[in-house]
Amino acid sequence: MSLGLVAVLGALLAGLLLLAQASVMASRAATAADLSALAAADAARGLTSGEPCSVASAVAAEHGARTTRCGTLGEGIVEVSTELLQPFLFGQATGRARAGPPP
């Protein structure tokens, strides 16, 4: 009986650890997307040098991610999608962000 209880607790702990890891990976992917979009929006508005999507790719790479999609929507607005380079056990962690000039 006690061996069964230990097995159930071990399975619950493993599930919680996988859930925590998924949360951390999703947060990292979202952070990379946010920072990439902000840097690309600055480049699109001329505040920094460089082409917006290449700036976004460089920022994403600094955060362990790659850009899967990048596009300028006009008026300094940029939308970026990222994917972490380190795969997760159950798939890829992805993030998406849009940034532009202040209202």
Side-chain angles (χ1 to χ4, degrees), residues 23-55:
S23 176
V24 168
M25 299 291 274
S27 177
R28 287 181 57 207
T31 299
D34 288 341
L35 295 175
S36 297
L38 287 170
D42 284 347
R45 292 174 49 212
L47 299 176
T48 59
S49 62
E51 194 271 323
C53 288
S54 59
V55 169

Side-chain angles (χ1 to χ4, degrees), residues 53-103:
C53 288
S54 59
V55 169
S57 293
V59 171
E62 290 177 11
H63 291 88
R66 66 183 169 105
T67 55
T68 56
R69 194 182 74 180
C70 177
T72 56
L73 305 175
E75 298 179 16
I77 300 172
V78 178
E79 188 170 73
V80 176
S81 295
T82 61
E83 180 177 85
L84 289 185
L85 296 176
Q86 178 183 1
F88 179 59
L89 184 62
F90 297 112
Q92 287 289 340
T94 60
R96 188 175 67 179
R98 181 184 292 180

Side-chain angles (χ1 to χ4, degrees), residues 9-20:
L9 289 176
L12 286 173
L13 182 61
L16 285 174
L17 288 176
L18 283 174
L19 185 63

